[in-house]
Amino acid sequence: MPKNSPHLHVFATANQVLRGLANYFVAQASAAQAVRGRFAVALSGGSSPKSLYELLASDEYRHKIDWTRTFFFFGDERYVPLDDPESNYRMARLALLEPLHIPAQQVFAVDTALPPAEAAQAYTAAMRAFFGTDLQFDLILLGLGDDTHTASLFPHTSVLHATAAEAQAVFLEQKQVHRITLTAPLINQARAVAFLVYGAGKAAAVQTALHGARDTQEHPAQLVTGEAQWFLDEAANLTP
Ligand SMILES: O=C1O[C@H](COP(=O)(O)O)[C@@H](O)[C@H](O)[C@H]1O
């Protein structure tokens, strides 16, 4: 079993974390574009990354990246219409994609008009059509839920057993909702993975994900192996 070897980037404040990850994003984009001519990133959802996306679209950062050669996917999506306030795509569209005028052909949203399993299959097909046989993102952004879920890899769900590098649909019994998520094998074959986690409310989850006994069914973020970069503020990195 591969061992987690996370790299921690701990900053005093949440604003500094956002800037640290924005700088990392810029560096990854420019390296990927120099080597492969394009930068393919999977965005995270939820509440934490909105400020990162706004920062990347700001006057300070927008000119640091060649957006014409940047392609956007989603690490997970809530099974709601794409204009629903819960939609991860909608949040990224409003905070990042529209302000930067990213053309639709550079954005790969999950088609939540399809039934969940078909939406996941269609997303896998879209990724395979884009990447060909080498389905490796240049960067996957991830968050961390209070229950240590990441992307939509939630505790004790069937998708945690996935062995294929693809998108899968998952039903969350507790919330009675469907999600579409990249599987852990797909996340783990990315060229780079970066977690963005800040705020004291995340400290217990960070502690468990990084330092707790390995139990990937209970703590799915532990499924992310290899050299993940963790961008944290001091509050999230405190031992609770
Ligand atoms: O539901 C989700 O939650 C996680 C964590 O989000 P946050 O709101 O606690 O920052 C997120 O990474 C994932 O993309 C999202 O769908």
Side-chain angles (χ1 to χ4, degrees), residues 43-49 76-78 88 142-146 149-152 154 179 196 202:
L43 301 176
S44 54
S47 53
S48 306
D76 73 310
E77 185 55 278
R78 285 95 181 262
N88 286 339
L142 293 174
L144 183 71
D146 298 348
H149 82 266
T150 191
S152 281
F154 280 80
R179 299 277 188 106
L196 171 62
K202 300 282 188 184

Side-chain angles (χ1 to χ4, degrees), residues 157-233:
T157 52
S158 56
V159 70
L160 304 185
H161 301 286
T163 53
E166 61 186 13
Q168 283 193 9
V170 57
F171 183 67
L172 309 183
E173 290 285 347
Q174 272 189 342
K175 298 176 190 271
Q176 290 287 299
V177 295
H178 294 272
R179 299 277 188 106
I180 314 297
T181 186
L182 305 189
T183 61
L186 179 43
I187 293 170
N188 285 333
Q189 68 190 32
R191 291 193 166 85
V193 171
F195 281 86
L196 171 62
V197 194
Y198 54 88
K202 300 282 188 184
V206 168
Q207 189 68 18
T208 308
L210 286 175
H211 310 296
R214 186 173 167 87
D215 180 348
T216 55
Q217 291 300 303
E218 188 69 23
H219 310 304
Q222 293 178 343
L223 283 169
V224 179
T225 53
E227 295 192 0
Q229 311 293 319
W230 285 72
F231 287 81
L232 306 165
D233 69 349

Side-chain angles (χ1 to χ4, degrees), residues 19-186:
R19 298 180 69 81
L21 183 47
N23 292 338
Y24 181 77
F25 189 104
V26 168
Q28 293 303 116
S30 110
Q33 289 169 347
V35 177
R36 287 175 293 283
R38 69 185 187 194
F39 175 53
V41 59
L43 301 176
S44 54
S47 53
S48 306
K50 182 167 176 271
S51 304
L52 172 70
Y53 301 158
E54 289 168 345
L55 182 60
L56 288 169
S58 70
D59 286 344
E60 184 184 353
Y61 274 91
R62 62 193 305 149
H63 302 296
K64 296 185 178 187
I65 291 174
D66 181 351
W67 298 107
T68 67
R69 294 190 293 150
T70 300
F71 296 84
F72 299 89
F73 292 78
F74 292 83
D76 73 310
E77 185 55 278
R78 285 95 181 262
Y79 188 66
V80 292
L82 293 177
D83 60 356
D84 188 287
E86 279 288 296
S87 163
N88 286 339
Y89 164 79
R90 179 179 182 273
M91 183 273 285
R93 175 171 67 77
L94 295 177
L96 181 70
L97 305 172
E98 270 185 10
L100 291 172
H101 308 292
I102 305 292
Q105 59 270 26
Q106 287 171 233
V107 182
F108 296 81
V110 177
D111 185 355
T112 54
L114 295 171
E118 285 177 38
Q121 278 166 15
Y123 206 58
T124 300
M127 289 189 288
R128 289 190 179 141
F130 179 85
F131 288 99
T133 50
D134 187 20
L135 210 176
Q136 264 195 308
F137 281 96
D138 295 304
L139 175 63
I140 296 183
L141 295 176
L142 293 174
L144 183 71
D146 298 348
D147 58 357
T148 68
H149 82 266
T150 191
S152 281
L153 304 175
F154 280 80
H156 304 288
T157 52
S158 56
V159 70
L160 304 185
H161 301 286
T163 53
E166 61 186 13
Q168 283 193 9
V170 57
F171 183 67
L172 309 183
E173 290 285 347
Q174 272 189 342
K175 298 176 190 271
Q176 290 287 299
V177 295
H178 294 272
R179 299 277 188 106
I180 314 297
T181 186
L182 305 189
T183 61
L186 179 43

